[in-house]
Amino acid sequence: MGKLFLVFLLCNAGLSSGVDITSNLTEALESFHERLRNLPEDMFEVQLDLGKFTANEEMKQQAENQAKQIRGKLSDMSSDMYNLRFVVDRLSELEAEKEDDKEEVEEGCSSWYLGMNLNPSDGHIMGYETGWSDDSSIGTLEDALIRDYLNQTVWNMPAKYIAIVRHHQGKLDAVKVFTFKHWGLSLSHRFKDTDPGRNVVTEGGAVQEFTVRGAHNLGDDPIFSVGGDLAFNWGYSHNGARLVLTGGHLSGADVDDDNTHGFGNNFMVRPKMVEDPEAHPDWAHEISNIQDCPYPSCTQRVGVKIQGTDHGSGPTLKGGPVYGNYAIYISNDSPTFPTDGANLGINVEMCEN
């Protein structure tokens, strides 16, 4: 990560070994990342100040360009540090397990890793084009379960099981777990498989399904109101939905009915393209509920029911209640997601009794 990171390592060269080093390193990385996150904004202020020079326009432009390049590098470093912190957190967990020397616990536990979180009312629209296949991390560790979030480290890990968890600020509301047909592929790989797309990626339906007593808004929830398996990249005509269940309505490949609903949607996109620069933001929407309101009979008065405010200005898109955040976890060694009432985290451990 360049000279700045080298200085950071030299400043912390005196860290002790074992569990102490993981604890100290985690704290040091967090502190360093906090300082690093502010540097691009500070450099932007420098750019603004450079614009006040008037003596030599050519030299001023050169200085502004250099400052802009430095700001870009600092932003990239902040993203790299974000991924490093995730890896170090996992290493810290492994180190703690080793130090505890509790083989019976280690053998009986498996891990779930958070790849994505969707908050349909945080002002950031995760439509068909955003995040799913563009190899960019989104959000921060601190806000991972309250805002839109995508961890590229997890997104590129091979996975055997996938869990979709509806929750309220980390408190589990409902969960479904599925088994992938083809093991060893990452979510990044699967969501880039858009041509022809329309891939049913799991088999056997949900291997685990749990809903807390008293959970609301289950009648038209895009995950918990229908059965079947998960399908990715469901393109139809110039529409697309990134994640749907086969128990809902799946539009035919050439049917332009705006009537397949799930996560990561757009009614004006070329769905076979991994990234479509001409995708229309007016028709992007993050989470749509299960419904039967096909175009063109679905009038503006009735509208397509969307959760929250994260949708474009298309006249038939109608924002409504938020049923919760939706987190996507993956695992390679557990078909069961814990439902013991503990709050969710970046990593979730499932241990046998």
Side-chain angles (χ1 to χ4, degrees):
M1 296 181 63
K3 293 181 179 179
L4 278 174
F5 190 56
L6 178 60
V7 171
F8 163 75
L9 289 178
L10 291 175
C11 289
N12 290 279
L15 296 176
S16 59
S17 60
V19 176
D20 286 342
I21 193 171
T22 62
S23 176
N24 292 339
L25 183 57
T26 298
E27 293 177 3
L29 283 171
E30 182 178 356
S31 175
F32 182 75
H33 192 193
E34 186 65 33
R35 298 195 302 272
L36 182 60
R37 276 197 300 232
N38 295 326
L39 291 180
E41 184 175 345
D42 293 343
M43 184 54 65
F44 181 68
E45 295 295 329
V46 171
Q47 281 184 257
L48 295 179
D49 289 340
L50 288 171
K52 299 175 182 178
F53 286 106
T54 59
N56 188 306
E57 186 65 26
E58 182 178 352
M59 291 182 66
K60 182 185 79 170
Q61 187 63 47
Q62 181 182 0
E64 288 178 333
N65 289 339
Q66 289 177 338
K68 183 178 180 180
Q69 291 177 5
I70 292 171
R71 182 161 62 95
K73 292 177 180 178
L74 289 170
S75 296
D76 290 342
M77 288 174 64
S78 181
S79 178
D80 291 342
M81 177 63 75
Y82 174 86
N83 289 327
L84 176 59
R85 284 181 61 191
F86 173 83
V87 175
V88 170
D89 284 345
R90 181 56 184 152
L91 285 172
S92 298
E93 292 176 1
L94 293 173
E95 193 69 22
E97 291 174 4
K98 180 181 177 182
E99 293 291 330
D100 289 341
D101 196 27
K102 296 179 180 178
E103 295 183 359
E104 69 281 5
V105 175
E106 293 177 4
E107 292 174 358
C109 292
S110 52
S111 297
W112 286 91
Y113 304 103
L114 178 65
M116 175 182 282
N117 187 70
L118 297 176
N119 177 337
S121 239
D122 67 347
H124 177 266
I125 303 175
M126 291 280 280
Y128 194 87
E129 286 299 294
T130 303
W132 302 90
S133 59
D134 62 8
D135 289 327
S136 297
S137 291
I138 295 171
T140 66
L141 289 171
E142 291 79 7
D143 294 338
L145 289 166
I146 59 174
R147 302 182 64 84
D148 286 352
Y149 171 83
L150 190 149
N151 188 309
Q152 272 301 321
T153 301
V154 176
W155 216 241
N156 283 281
M157 290 169 55
K160 181 177 178 180
Y161 303 105
I162 179 171
I164 301 181
V165 184
R166 197 176 84 175
H167 66 94
H168 301 280
Q169 295 187 335
K171 193 70 173 178
L172 185 144
D173 198 33
V175 60
K176 276 187 178 181
V177 176
F178 301 86
T179 305
F180 282 117
K181 285 182 181 179
H182 306 293
W183 305 348
L185 300 177
S186 69
L187 291 175
S188 177
H189 178 98
R190 298 176 196 275
F191 282 112
K192 287 177 180 175
D193 187 9
T194 57
D195 190 2
R198 299 169 62 86
N199 305 312
V200 179
V201 296
T202 65
E203 60 184 356
V207 296
Q208 179 192 4
E209 185 170 357
F210 173 83
T211 304
V212 299
R213 182 176 298 178
H216 300 291
N217 298 313
L218 296 172
D220 60 351
D221 186 283
I223 304 299
F224 301 100
S225 70
V226 290
D229 280 290
L230 292 179
F232 289 176
N233 307 322
W234 199 264
Y236 56 108
S237 186
H238 57 256
N239 312 276
R242 285 293 189 172
L243 187 155
V244 298
L245 271 102
T246 59
H249 175 75
L250 299 181
S251 303
D254 299 317
V255 177
D256 183 17
D257 63 356
D258 297 359
N259 205 31
T260 295
H261 303 288
F263 295 169
N265 312 279
N266 195 312
F267 290 160
M268 188 63 71
V269 67
R270 290 174 289 185
K272 291 184 180 181
M273 298 183 67
V274 175
E275 296 181 32
D276 180 8
E278 298 181 9
H280 207 299
D282 285 358
W283 294 103
H285 49 291
E286 192 160 308
I287 299 176
S288 58
N289 294 327
I290 298 299
Q291 58 204 286
D292 185 22
C293 193
Y295 172 85
S297 61
C298 189
T299 64
Q300 183 173 343
R301 182 180 63 84
V302 177
V304 177
K305 296 179 177 62
I306 311 297
Q307 285 194 35
T309 58
D310 289 350
H311 59 82
S313 59
T316 60
L317 301 181
K318 301 298 182 182
V322 173
Y323 296 174
N325 279 219
Y326 293 80
I328 298 177
Y329 286 86
I330 61 167
S331 177
N332 272 311
D333 49 16
S334 177
T336 306
F337 195 90
T339 58
D340 57 4
N343 285 339
L344 303 175
I346 300 299
N347 300 331
V348 177
E349 295 295 317
M350 181 64 194
C351 297
E352 297 178 1
N353 294 330

